[in-house]
């Protein structure tokens, strides 16, 4: 024991030997305010990229991408509850947010910039725009992350830990999406819809629907895309919620697959969140799927050639993936991730 203590003491004299992973909230108010100012300036000047994530879960309300919302943005001050009000429509778009921010007085703090949103099943809600922004950057030689409206500081050791953890998820490269094949299919289907609409059972022609159908034929999957299950509303006499469990179901392996064709980080994160929400509802028996689910998988289709998930340069994406990994395993399901490429040129 004396020998061990002596070695420890000698190592401590040399300085830090082990760099521990660090991801902790920024507690200093002045620093948080400085980070807020840098965030607004970076967005206005187009110096840094950021992503937007819509408010998926709010209190007892389950918010799904298939639902329709109306968003507006405004500033709040001591004089008026809603100044500089502007309608944004049914989605949060980065271009609209950037354009709006460039019109504002630069002295308005980000804490006074609000997003208002509502849906027929819920009352109007407002949240600070910070809660919809995912952003990371380096400031004064430290790495900072904005996630769910809060600032965090992290180090390179944490990133290494995160990458190692995510690389534990079983990953395989799967069928590619060929854009020319999709265009041909779409033209043919649109012609059939126009010439004999009554003979066409489904008039859907969007890209993900085509690819999901193709995968069903190739691998004998069941198509769940656009099929929803009811979740009882927490409000009396209110309309039930609707949740899409997944896009595909593999009965042979008891596997549900959530598929997303996109390189947009916010859309990828939403797909991850929706998959977890659906599986939690299923596990807690809030949703009766009528299926024996043993495995949950994510299927990403990128335009870029991606060989591993850590090729995606977004800490928020990686954190969402790590949260999904831990949560799905804790629910007792197996996990997997599939990657395809969206080939736009022959």
């Amino acid at each position: 024991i004396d020998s061990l203590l002596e070695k420890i003491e000698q190592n401590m004299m040399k300085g830090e030997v082990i760099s521990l992973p660090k991801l902790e909230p920024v507690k200093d108010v002045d620093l948080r305010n400085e980070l807020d100012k840098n965030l607004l300036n970076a967005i206005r000047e187009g110096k840094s990229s950021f992503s937007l994530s819509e408010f998926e879960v709010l209190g007892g309300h389950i918010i799904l991408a298939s639902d329709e919302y109306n968003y507006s943005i405004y500033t709040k001050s001591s004089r008026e509850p809603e100044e500089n009000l502007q309608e944004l429509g049914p989605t949060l778009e980065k271009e609209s947010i950037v354009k709006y921010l460039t019109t504002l007085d630069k002295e308005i703090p980000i804490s006074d910039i609000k997003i208002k949103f509502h849906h027929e099943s819920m009352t109007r809600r407002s949240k600070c725009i910070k809660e919809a922004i995912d952003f990371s950057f380096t400031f004064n030689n430290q790495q900072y992350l904005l996630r769910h409206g809060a600032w965090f500081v992290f180090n390179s050791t944490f990133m290494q830990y995160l990458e190692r953890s995510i690389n534990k998820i079983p990953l395989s490269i799967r069928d590619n999406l060929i854009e020319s094949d999709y265009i041909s299919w779409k033209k043919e289907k649109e012609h059939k819809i126009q010439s004999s609409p009554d003979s066409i059972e489904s008039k859907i022609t969007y890209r993900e629907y085509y690819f999901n159908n193709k995968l069903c034929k190739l691998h004998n999957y069941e198509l769940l895309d656009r099929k929803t299950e009811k979740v009882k509303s927490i409000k009396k006499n209110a309309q039930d919620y609707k949740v899409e469990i997944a896009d595909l179901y593999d009965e042979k392996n008891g596997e549900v697959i959530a598929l997303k064709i996109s390189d947009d980080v916010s859309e990828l994160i939403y797909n991850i969140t929706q998959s977890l929400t659906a599986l939690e509802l299923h596990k807690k028996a809030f949703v009766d799927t009528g299926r024996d689910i043993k495995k949950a998988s994510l299927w990403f289709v990128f335009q870029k050639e991606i060989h591993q998930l850590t090729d995606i340069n977004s800490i928020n994406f990686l954190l969402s993936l790590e949260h999904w990994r831990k949560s799905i395993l804790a629910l007792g399901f197996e996990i997997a991730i599939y990657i395809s490429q969206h080939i736009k040129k022959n």
Side-chain angles (χ1 to χ4, degrees):
I1 293 177
D2 290 340
S3 175
L4 177 61
L5 290 173
E6 185 178 343
K7 285 182 179 179
I8 292 173
E9 187 176 349
Q10 288 173 354
N11 283 330
M12 288 178 69
M13 294 290 289
K14 294 176 184 177
E16 184 180 17
V17 177
I18 300 173
S19 178
L20 296 175
K22 180 173 74 173
L23 178 69
E24 55 190 35
V26 176
K27 297 178 181 179
D28 186 277
V29 176
D30 291 335
L31 177 56
R32 290 204 301 261
N33 291 336
E34 191 66 29
L35 293 172
D36 284 350
K37 289 177 184 177
N38 277 271
L39 168 63
L40 280 178
N41 289 335
I43 293 174
R44 285 187 180 116
E45 297 169 12
K47 291 182 178 178
S48 298
S49 62
F50 70 99
S51 62
L52 288 170
S53 56
E54 298 185 9
F55 308 103
E56 297 95 356
V57 179
L58 179 63
H61 295 279
I62 301 166
I63 299 180
L64 304 171
S66 57
D67 290 333
E68 292 183 2
Y69 299 90
N70 285 310
Y71 293 93
S72 56
I73 188 169
Y74 65 94
T75 59
K76 187 176 182 180
S77 70
S78 57
R79 298 184 303 274
E80 295 288 339
E82 293 183 4
E83 292 184 335
N84 305 302
L85 180 65
Q86 182 177 311
E87 296 295 329
L88 296 176
T91 57
L92 292 178
E93 301 290 344
K94 288 170 64 174
E95 294 76 12
S96 300
I97 298 296
V98 172
K99 188 176 179 181
Y100 178 82
L101 292 178
T102 56
T103 65
L104 293 181
D105 185 326
K106 291 186 178 181
E107 295 303 313
I108 296 176
I110 197 169
S111 57
D112 287 345
I113 305 172
K114 308 288 184 179
I115 297 285
K116 180 169 64 175
F117 55 104
H118 71 275
H119 180 264
E120 60 181 13
S121 66
M122 57 181 277
T123 57
R124 291 176 184 269
R125 302 292 181 97
S126 291
K127 287 199 171 235
C128 179
I129 191 175
K130 272 177 66 177
E131 297 190 44
I133 294 177
D134 292 329
F135 181 75
S136 60
F137 75 134
T138 302
F139 178 67
N140 289 344
N141 297 319
Q142 288 277 7
Q143 297 181 85
Y144 294 96
L145 164 72
L146 178 65
R147 183 169 171 80
H148 303 315
W151 285 107
F152 295 86
V153 59
F154 65 97
N155 60 9
S156 57
T157 308
F158 174 78
M159 285 302 299
Q160 292 165 9
Y161 155 78
L162 189 59
E163 289 180 5
R164 285 197 303 270
S165 184
I166 286 170
N167 285 334
K168 294 177 183 177
I169 306 174
L171 175 71
S172 58
I173 307 299
R174 300 290 297 271
D175 316 75
N176 285 335
L177 167 61
I178 311 300
E179 182 68 9
S180 57
D181 291 347
Y182 163 66
I183 297 297
S184 299
W185 172 86
K186 184 182 179 184
K187 286 180 179 177
E188 183 180 345
K189 187 164 186 180
E190 287 175 341
H191 176 72
K192 288 180 180 178
I193 292 170
Q194 289 179 355
S195 59
S196 53
D198 295 337
S199 65
I200 304 297
E201 184 177 340
S202 169
K203 297 179 175 61
I204 303 167
T205 60
Y206 64 84
R207 193 175 283 100
E208 277 187 13
Y209 186 80
Y210 157 77
F211 194 55
N212 282 329
N213 266 286
K214 177 185 174 182
L215 295 174
C216 287
K217 293 174 183 176
L218 286 173
H219 305 293
N220 198 31
Y221 294 152
E222 177 188 353
L223 183 66
L224 300 182
D225 189 3
R226 297 180 69 87
K227 292 182 180 178
T228 58
E229 306 290 342
K230 287 185 178 181
V231 180
K232 192 170 180 60
S233 173
I234 61 172
K235 288 185 176 182
K236 256 189 172 182
N237 303 320
Q239 204 173 22
D240 288 342
Y241 302 117
K242 292 180 180 179
V243 59
E244 186 179 283
I245 294 297
D247 294 290
L248 303 164
Y249 176 63
D250 180 2
E251 185 178 6
K252 182 180 177 182
N253 297 311
E255 177 182 18
V256 286
I257 303 169
L259 184 143
K260 177 55 63 178
I261 303 171
S262 182
D263 283 58
D264 186 287
V265 169
S266 60
E267 292 186 3
L268 300 176
I269 291 174
Y270 192 90
N271 190 51
I272 296 168
T273 304
Q274 191 175 30
S275 168
L276 176 56
T277 301
L279 269 296
E280 285 175 335
L281 290 170
H282 168 76
K283 191 70 176 181
K284 294 174 182 176
F286 289 128
V287 173
D288 181 15
T289 65
R291 296 172 181 84
D292 182 19
I293 300 175
K294 300 174 182 175
K295 184 176 181 179
S297 301
L298 300 170
W299 192 318
F300 299 118
V301 185
F302 303 109
Q303 284 189 44
K304 297 176 184 176
E305 191 171 355
I306 301 293
H307 298 288
Q308 55 187 14
L309 294 165
T310 49
D311 289 342
I312 306 298
N313 186 27
S314 167
I315 187 173
N316 278 299
F317 171 76
L318 299 178
L319 284 170
S320 297
L321 210 50
E322 170 62 1
H323 178 61
W324 176 86
R325 182 189 75 85
K326 286 183 176 179
S327 301
I328 295 294
L329 289 175
L331 289 171
F333 299 109
E334 298 175 47
I335 57 173
I337 290 182
Y338 308 124
I339 290 179
S340 299
Q341 189 173 5
H342 185 185
I343 309 293
K344 290 203 167 185
K345 292 182 179 179
N346 292 327

